[in-house]
Amino acid sequence: MTILVTQSERKRTSRLGRLFVASSLIPYPNMLTKYLPFILFLLTTSLQAQQTVGLFLNDSLAYNGYTLVASNSAKSTYLIDNCGRVINTWTSDYIPYFSAYLTPEGNLLRTARVTNPFGGATEMYDWDGNLIWTYNFSGDGFSQHHDIELLPNGNILVLAWESFDVQSVIEAGRNADLVNEELHPEFIVELQPIGADSARIVWEWHVFDHLVQDHDPMKSNYGKPADHPELIDFNYIGIGGPFEDWLHANHINYNPQLDQIMISVRNFNELWVIDHSTTTEEAAGHTGGKYGKGGDLLYRWGNPITYRRGTDADKIFYDQHNAHWIPEGYPGEGNIMVFNNGRGRMPVEFSSVDVIVPPVDAMGNYTLPSSDLPYLPTDLLSSYTATPPSSMLSLRISSAQRLPNGNTLICVGQSGRLFEIDEMGNVHWDYITPLRGNNPVTQGDIASGNTVFSALRYSTDFEGFVGKDLTPGAPIELDPLPSDCEITTDIHTAFAEYGITAHPNPANDQIRIMYDLNGKAIPIQLELYDYQGRFLLKKDLPIGSDETIIKCSDLPSGIYFYLLRTSTQMSEAKKFVIYH
């Protein structure tokens, strides 16, 4: 973890160093004895005053919003503002297992570990902390785990494992040498909440229905894995070895535009995409649904060794987490972002935030690889690493989130560090989760047991905040240091008042970007990005101007994002289309 040292800390450390030097020069032991209590008092006070947790940075270019923090060992979930002050708290009887989200109504939807080591449930609390729905989806031979996903219709996708005994997996084509006592492949259910403690399963999908194996032609699922990348090689052994936790999926994401589901499969170092438009019966087969492939994989990426179309040189993901589509309307929309943990990278382990452009058309159909070739793309669109790379390393958990202004919120889960970077990698917000297990720590103490599975920032205009009391309280940590942190005026609203528009939209020849700065004579720049979130140009606008022209002839047809930036503020990205 990068060690953060504030200017005041440097001064305190310097004073402390001089104190040690002074004490070492005291000429007589009796004088040392005389002053020892005073020296110890100063030493204790200085150490306690050093910042160890909470907010380290919030500058004017950070995206203003509210960040949801659910530490893995804490029963309380916190919503904090950009100054690290608590906006709301929800407390459960259970620690999470592992994710938490806000609903459009402002409720908290969270996972819960109801029994150890396994046993998962889902809980929903209203804004005031009242438990309004809970459902335990675990029992003999199955359990939800890691993640859930709220669907637009109010249903909930749940990631779970199910148990198969030795005989069942051998009959399905598993090599007997690769079986322990049982196997726990993944399955997904869609729950429709009912009442206060019930739910109905309205859709499901099982890995066990989509296997291929070339170990035994007399067993089920026989075929060549390289000929069937849409299926899962039942004898591929990744990180989990031949034990129960064969796949270890850790994240689930839904794309409402495509009606597709993505899961991150850690032990395969891959992400998988499946069709959600199928019926449960179609999801168990190989035909049907919007894309005609039933429940087979529509797309996979990260490690083509798993379907025997690559080597170690082609492997990109290392124990990845949080694979998801960048949402519609955000810079880079439709691209896939992943926190690539980096376990096993050579020669040095480090984590990265990776983005790829999936080979998919507007209808949601993926370009299939040619014979013996892996799925495209051949490389990453972008990858953020710290300097030096090994200073950002989390071998477990963690997440990344694209924000509306084009910045990215990163959760380095094992250290409980959350920070926000711009497209150039500059840090604009930095925070260390101030917890030790379930308890807030005192400022100056070292946090431990403050791991965070994932973190999400919600915009100030998020619909779930309408009518809610957003008055900030104290920070999470105890005895917080005095703070001069200020919430920057909502620059997105401010710029909206200036009436930023693009006309015509779509455009063919040229497009006029218009804005009204209400007579303010301030330097301002226009920044342009393509639909993949790649920076294209930066243009200085004349002081006092109210419009600028972009020549469309210089740009290919497609979707573009633009924003305005001053020395201290940045607008929300807006979209226009060029069509030749």
Side-chain angles (χ1 to χ4, degrees), residues 178-492:
L178 304 179
V179 183
N180 195 13
E181 296 180 356
E182 56 185 28
L183 202 67
H184 293 172
E186 307 292 338
F187 74 111
I188 300 169
V189 296
E190 179 180 340
L191 297 180
Q192 180 185 45
I194 298 174
D197 57 4
S198 299
R200 178 183 297 113
I201 297 176
V202 297
W203 181 87
E204 54 190 285
W205 174 88
H206 299 256
V207 162
F208 211 74
D209 295 326
H210 303 281
L211 303 174
V212 63
Q213 57 88 17
D214 59 357
H215 170 67
D216 189 341
M218 304 305 294
K219 296 295 193 298
S220 302
N221 307 305
Y222 186 73
K224 295 182 178 180
D227 293 340
H228 295 281
E230 77 280 4
L231 300 176
I232 301 151
D233 183 356
F234 202 24
N235 290 297
Y236 175 79
I237 299 299
I239 301 165
F243 302 104
E244 291 89 345
D245 190 15
W246 173 46
L247 299 171
H248 196 102
N250 54 37
H251 187 75
I252 186 168
N253 183 235
Y254 177 70
N255 188 316
Q257 288 75 40
L258 303 180
D259 201 8
Q260 295 175 4
I261 295 169
M262 182 187 303
I263 61 173
S264 170
V265 187
R266 189 200 71 171
N267 287 359
F268 270 44
N269 298 299
E270 276 193 307
L271 61 86
W272 296 344
V273 176
I274 61 173
D275 185 1
H276 175 255
S277 73
T278 57
T279 64
T280 293
E281 292 72 26
E282 291 170 334
H286 311 289
T287 60
K290 179 179 179 181
Y291 302 100
K293 299 181 183 299
D296 289 346
L297 304 186
L298 300 178
Y299 180 63
R300 64 196 305 178
W301 202 83
N303 181 21
I305 302 172
T306 60
Y307 51 100
R308 305 190 195 175
R309 293 196 182 189
T311 66
D312 283 335
D314 301 305
K315 178 181 171 182
I316 303 296
F317 291 159
Y318 295 85
D319 279 31
Q320 83 291 334
H321 284 72
N322 196 229
H324 65 279
W325 286 280
I326 295 175
E328 184 179 35
Y330 289 54
E333 65 175 80
N335 293 340
I336 296 172
M337 177 176 283
V338 177
F339 188 96
N340 195 355
N341 295 71
R343 183 190 296 272
R345 282 199 218 243
M346 298 296 290
V348 177
E349 291 182 324
F350 64 91
S351 299
S352 59
V353 175
D354 298 340
V355 178
I356 68 168
V357 181
V360 63
D361 63 23
M363 301 301 294
N365 299 297
Y366 293 84
T367 302
L368 296 177
S370 302
S371 178
D372 299 327
L373 293 178
Y375 280 95
L376 295 173
T378 57
D379 206 352
L380 300 169
L381 170 67
S382 65
S383 183
Y384 167 79
T385 58
T387 305
S390 58
S391 65
M392 185 178 81
L393 177 64
S394 181
L395 298 180
R396 301 173 47 246
I397 53 181
S398 308
S399 67
Q401 177 195 12
R402 177 62 48 82
L403 300 173
N405 66 350
N407 289 356
T408 300
L409 178 67
I410 300 173
C411 167
V412 187
Q414 277 193 279
S415 63
R417 182 190 179 201
L418 318 177
F419 67 103
E420 177 186 341
I421 60 169
D422 62 21
E423 70 277 3
M424 303 302 294
N426 302 307
V427 178
H428 297 291
W429 188 82
D430 212 332
Y431 183 83
I432 300 293
T433 306
L435 295 169
R436 181 176 294 132
N438 191 48
N439 302 309
V441 301
T442 299
Q443 183 63 267
D445 291 346
I446 302 299
S448 61
N450 64 336
T451 58
V452 179
F453 178 70
S454 62
L456 286 171
R457 180 168 300 164
Y458 293 85
S459 302
T460 56
D461 60 356
F462 174 61
E463 59 185 310
F465 297 147
V466 175
K468 304 299 190 297
D469 182 3
L470 301 175
T471 304
I476 298 174
E477 65 270 20
L478 306 177
D479 295 338
L481 294 173
S483 173
D484 57 0
C485 175
E486 295 182 0
I487 299 295
T488 303
T489 301
D490 192 339
I491 57 178
H492 312 108

Side-chain angles (χ1 to χ4, degrees), residues 72-137:
N72 294 352
S73 299
K75 296 178 180 179
S76 293
T77 303
Y78 301 91
L79 186 69
I80 60 173
D81 67 9
N82 272 25
C83 285
R85 300 172 300 193
V86 175
I87 299 298
N88 204 19
T89 306
W90 300 263
T91 300
S92 170
D93 291 332
Y94 307 101
I95 61 175
Y97 192 26
F98 291 96
S99 59
Y101 303 92
L102 295 182
T103 74
E105 297 76 28
N107 297 329
L108 176 71
L109 182 68
R110 72 186 296 271
T111 57
R113 190 190 292 266
V114 294
T115 60
N116 277 315
F118 304 116
T122 303
E123 298 178 322
M124 186 180 295
Y125 293 83
D126 66 18
W127 182 263
D128 297 322
N130 301 303
L131 181 64
I132 57 175
W133 179 77
T134 183
Y135 187 70
N136 186 341
F137 191 70

